[in-house]
Amino acid sequence: MLRRRSASVYSLPVELLTRVFVLGAGYDYPYAGTPFLLKPDQDYYAVPSSHFQLLVSQVCHHWRQVALRTASLWSMLHFREPAHIARAQEYIARCSSSPHLFDILVDTVADGDHIPGVTLCREELQQIFKLICPQVKRWRAFHLKICDHECKATARQHLSTCGPAPNLETLQLYHFEDYLTSQNLYLATYRPPVMVFSNDLPRLKNVSLIGVNLPWAHSPYLAHLHTIELALHPENIRPPYEYWDNMLRNSPDLQTLSLHYSGPRVANGDTKLVWPAEREQITIQSLENLSLTDLDPDYLVRLMGRLVLPGLKRLSLDLPDQDFTPFLELITNTKNRAQATLPRRPFAWNASRCFRCSRP
């Protein structure tokens, strides 16, 4: 018996077994290719992890002890159903003696879609924030999906009072709901946005705002970013061009920019929102990936005419069935190479939908 045991997995050094556990837990790592777990597409559902760490911790006493002492196995806190709250409480306890940082996903549903005991809504969201806010200094990534006005109020309350998040690198805030009436839409957008995390996010690199706006004039952390995603913003909550300009110019290492029915706000007669002359272009040397979705032709031409992207490697387009001839002429311009919007060298581009061009 002793000989068989010495030749089995028990003979593996703890360091090697720990490494196997960490690799196994990372096999379906959810951040492959993107820092964000949520997509603007309403039908998108982030694939849950395999819970590898739970499986190996139940094989035998020895494996369980090794797994419990490996804090990195318990640092991903995903909330999609009420049972995940107690699970996260246990995960946090297992990391109590470690400085390991937490990656957090909170995925709630609208009140009308809520199934008690199955999905998360207002009451569960309160419990989740009470559990995770004391750990805010250990947040590395935070993804929050809200589909209900009351849940939005809960999120505003906690994110505006939780204090600084000194280690947060990725912030994704998602709010999109079926307003049904113009009155509901007004109630959801008339309140000014709140300051989050006491404006203290020194390590923030990736920001995704889907249907969510910030106090654009008072969000100094919107700088030094690597990834920016703005999506599903009604015109009245989009960033004024001044703050759009500041965000891009103050992010010299920006690599990915994604706009999905969003971008800088159009003036519409407001002199404070007038865009600068097209000659005042924003050059982003570092940008490699640009994604443009559901933008009108005139707006797209005005926007892209003010950007210079010499390092672009990939352009993704998902545009409505309208005439985009001026846009195509702009990005293929060879007459003024000094101010060309896109690089002169070849780059990859992808069109998810067909859009019209009136000239060959």
Side-chain angles (χ1 to χ4, degrees), residues 32-45:
T34 176
F36 305 126
L37 298 182
L38 302 170
K39 304 293 183 185
D41 185 354
Q42 285 283 298
D43 296 327
Y44 177 81
Y45 183 80

Side-chain angles (χ1 to χ4, degrees), residues 30 36-49 51 78-82 84 87 105-109 118-120 145 147 172 174:
F36 305 126
L37 298 182
L38 302 170
K39 304 293 183 185
D41 185 354
Q42 285 283 298
D43 296 327
Y44 177 81
Y45 183 80
V47 177
S49 66
H51 307 304
H78 285 191
F79 301 89
R80 280 204 172 96
E81 55 189 71
H84 294 166
R87 182 183 70 181
L105 167 68
V106 183
D107 191 351
T108 67
V109 300
V118 177
T119 59
L120 304 176
K145 182 177 180 180
C147 303
Q172 184 172 40
Y174 182 126

Side-chain angles (χ1 to χ4, degrees), residues 1-59:
M1 171 66 77
L2 182 62
R3 181 178 301 175
R4 287 200 301 271
R5 177 166 177 163
S6 63
S8 71
V9 71
Y10 286 95
S11 64
L12 290 176
V14 170
E15 295 80 6
L16 182 57
L17 193 58
T18 299
R19 181 60 176 162
V20 170
F21 289 174
V22 171
L23 290 175
Y27 181 75
D28 53 359
Y29 190 62
Y31 296 106
T34 176
F36 305 126
L37 298 182
L38 302 170
K39 304 293 183 185
D41 185 354
Q42 285 283 298
D43 296 327
Y44 177 81
Y45 183 80
V47 177
S49 66
S50 63
H51 307 304
F52 178 86
Q53 61 272 49
L54 291 177
L55 297 176
V56 297
S57 68
Q58 297 173 14
V59 171

Side-chain angles (χ1 to χ4, degrees), residues 89-347:
Q89 188 171 11
E90 180 62 28
Y91 280 21
I92 292 172
R94 293 177 183 181
C95 296
S96 60
S97 61
S98 166
H100 214 81
L101 304 179
F102 293 113
D103 293 347
I104 302 170
L105 167 68
V106 183
D107 191 351
T108 67
V109 300
D111 184 59
D113 298 324
H114 180 47
I115 303 174
V118 177
T119 59
L120 304 176
C121 202
R122 285 169 285 181
E123 293 184 8
E124 294 83 7
L125 187 60
Q126 284 280 12
Q127 297 176 45
I128 291 169
F129 273 118
K130 289 180 180 179
L131 175 63
I132 64 176
C133 280
Q135 308 294 329
V136 67
K137 292 184 178 180
R138 298 177 62 186
W139 294 9
R140 182 178 65 176
F142 181 66
H143 312 264
L144 173 65
K145 182 177 180 180
I146 296 295
C147 303
D148 179 271
H149 182 60
E150 295 298 326
C151 285
K152 178 183 177 182
T154 298
R156 286 167 59 97
Q157 172 195 349
H158 287 280
L159 295 181
S160 63
T161 59
C162 65
N167 290 297
L168 192 68
E169 298 178 4
T170 297
L171 175 63
Q172 184 172 40
L173 302 176
Y174 182 126
H175 172 232
F176 195 78
E177 61 182 284
D178 188 352
Y179 298 108
L180 298 177
T181 68
S182 58
Q183 176 69 10
N184 289 341
L185 176 60
Y186 171 75
L187 291 174
T189 59
Y190 86 97
R191 292 189 182 91
V194 296
M195 180 190 301
V196 296
F197 301 105
S198 301
N199 270 357
D200 192 352
L201 299 165
R203 295 190 179 182
L204 192 64
K205 298 299 180 186
N206 310 299
V207 172
S208 171
L209 303 172
I210 304 176
V212 173
N213 63 323
L214 295 171
W216 304 112
H218 307 287
S219 299
Y221 50 84
L222 294 178
H224 307 291
L225 301 175
H226 293 175
T227 308
I228 299 173
E229 179 181 52
L230 302 178
L232 306 181
H233 286 124
E235 183 65 37
N236 65 318
I237 67 171
R238 294 182 181 186
Y241 195 92
E242 174 187 357
Y243 306 115
W244 160 262
D245 184 289
N246 290 341
M247 182 165 50
L248 297 186
R249 292 187 190 275
N250 293 326
S251 297
D253 298 319
L254 185 65
Q255 298 173 2
T256 300
L257 175 62
S258 176
L259 300 176
H260 183 149
Y261 190 70
S262 187
R265 187 173 176 179
V266 175
N268 288 329
D270 188 338
T271 57
K272 296 180 180 179
L273 298 175
V274 173
W275 291 18
E278 190 169 313
R279 64 177 177 274
E280 298 183 31
Q281 293 177 307
I282 305 171
T283 300
I284 313 176
Q285 298 281 353
S286 59
L287 194 75
E288 297 182 354
N289 306 293
L290 176 63
S291 176
L292 304 169
T293 301
D294 285 336
L295 299 174
D296 291 334
D298 292 343
Y299 181 86
L300 194 53
V301 169
R302 291 187 63 198
L303 179 69
M304 294 299 296
R306 290 165 172 78
L307 295 178
V308 179
L309 313 174
L312 194 70
K313 295 181 179 180
R314 182 175 182 82
L315 173 63
S316 298
L317 303 173
D318 190 355
L319 302 173
D321 184 15
Q322 300 180 46
D323 187 354
F324 283 87
T325 302
F327 168 66
L328 293 177
E329 291 178 344
L330 173 67
I331 65 175
T332 57
N333 174 38
T334 58
K335 295 180 182 179
N336 189 354
R337 291 181 177 269
Q339 293 183 326
T341 298
L342 300 184
R344 286 167 285 178
R345 57 174 174 73
F347 61 91

